Amino acid sequence: MSRDHSRRFAAVAKQVNKNRVYGVREAIELLKGLSNTKFDETIEFAARLGVDPRKSDENVRGTITLPHGTGRQVRVAVFAKAEHAAAALEAGAETVGDDDLIAKIDEGWSDFDVLVAHVDMMRAVGRLGKKLGPRMPNKKAGTVTEDVGETVRQIKAGKVQYRVDRQSNVHVPIGKVSFETDKLVENFAALFGAILAAKPSASKGVYVRHVHLSSTMGPGVRIDVQDARSVAG
């Protein structure tokens, strides 16, 4: 972190009260007002869930298409052959291949944000499991599919994946600082509603422990969980 960035961050952080929680709309407007970078920062959602991701019946994972997208240009790579490969390219995938793409990734290529695979490719793609880790195409995440074209279109339109990490945290972008506040609130509502609906039956106690919003270069703002539930409907 450069000295200039450290000073800018410290000045911005002073305007966030660390001893209080904020409503969703209030937090979004605060982050928009504090942004003073030369680029369009991303608004990031983060939550700590009361689950144990080491237990398969407490793993929280799914997808949601944000109503207003994320504002990001998502690079999609697709494992597919023949007419399925053509459909992926027509839908806007940046990279499409079969054995050649598997070999390319096996050699270290990673110039993509999301990987999609046609179901017929998964036996061959399986050998990349250790190398790809959580980026591996997955049926539950909707990235292993019969219709790669439609899946690519959904991803390009703002479909995002949420999943708990090893520390029970979920991190998902919900839009850009330049988005209208209402659109960011609606994206937040869609994501948080999906996470609430994905609560595992095996989860006991408090399900959502903390929620924060932050911008790419800004401090985190703690969200009132009850207000977040109200916004999500």
Side-chain angles (χ1 to χ4, degrees):
M1 183 181 293
S2 69
R3 181 176 297 180
D4 286 344
H5 175 244
S6 297
R7 288 174 177 171
R8 190 200 66 80
F9 182 88
V12 170
K14 286 180 180 179
Q15 300 179 62
V16 176
N17 187 341
K18 297 294 184 182
N19 297 316
R20 60 163 291 195
V21 293
Y22 290 77
V24 174
R25 179 175 293 275
E26 181 185 20
I28 288 171
E29 291 178 343
L30 175 62
L31 290 170
K32 286 170 62 68
L34 293 177
S35 178
N36 60 4
T37 60
K38 295 181 180 179
F39 65 95
D40 195 5
E41 296 182 67
T42 295
I43 300 292
E44 297 277 350
F45 167 98
R48 170 67 64 85
L49 302 183
V51 298
D52 185 347
R54 296 172 297 178
K55 299 177 179 178
S56 60
D57 60 353
E58 291 191 36
N59 203 354
V60 177
R61 180 174 186 172
T63 61
I64 179 72
T65 299
L66 300 179
H68 305 290
T70 64
R72 296 173 57 197
Q73 293 297 319
V74 181
R75 301 166 299 172
V76 182
V78 181
F79 297 106
K81 296 180 179 180
E83 69 272 18
H84 303 300
L89 284 170
E90 184 179 351
E94 280 74 15
T95 306
V96 179
D98 45 74
D99 293 339
D100 58 330
L101 181 56
I102 292 172
K104 189 175 179 179
I105 291 175
D106 199 27
E107 292 168 2
W109 181 80
S110 61
D111 192 18
F112 57 87
D113 299 305
V114 179
L115 277 175
V116 173
H118 188 270
V119 290
D120 292 344
M121 289 294 304
M122 283 309 295
R123 180 170 294 182
V125 173
R127 68 186 177 94
L128 297 175
K130 289 185 179 179
K131 184 176 291 290
L132 290 173
R135 304 179 81 184
M136 183 76 172
N138 182 282
K139 278 190 176 181
K140 189 171 182 180
T143 49
V144 176
T145 176
E146 291 274 4
D147 191 343
V148 290
E150 179 59 24
T151 298
V152 171
R153 278 188 285 273
Q154 289 177 359
I155 292 170
K156 292 288 186 178
K159 185 177 183 179
V160 295
Q161 180 180 172
Y162 58 87
R163 60 176 295 168
V164 289
D165 60 20
R166 293 179 180 179
Q167 288 73 46
S168 302
N169 296 316
V170 177
H171 296 272
V172 184
I174 62 166
K176 295 288 187 178
V177 164
S178 62
F179 281 21
E180 295 174 4
T181 298
D182 285 348
K183 291 183 177 181
L184 287 167
V185 171
E186 289 168 13
N187 278 356
F188 177 99
L191 173 62
F192 194 57
I195 291 172
L196 292 176
K199 179 182 178 181
S201 58
S203 175
K204 307 300 180 184
V206 178
Y207 176 50
V208 180
R209 295 183 174 176
H210 301 290
V211 177
H212 287 80
L213 289 176
S214 64
S215 59
T216 306
M217 304 297 286
V221 178
R222 188 171 175 181
I223 304 301
D224 183 329
V225 176
Q226 288 304 114
D227 184 67
R229 286 179 178 274
S230 177
V231 167

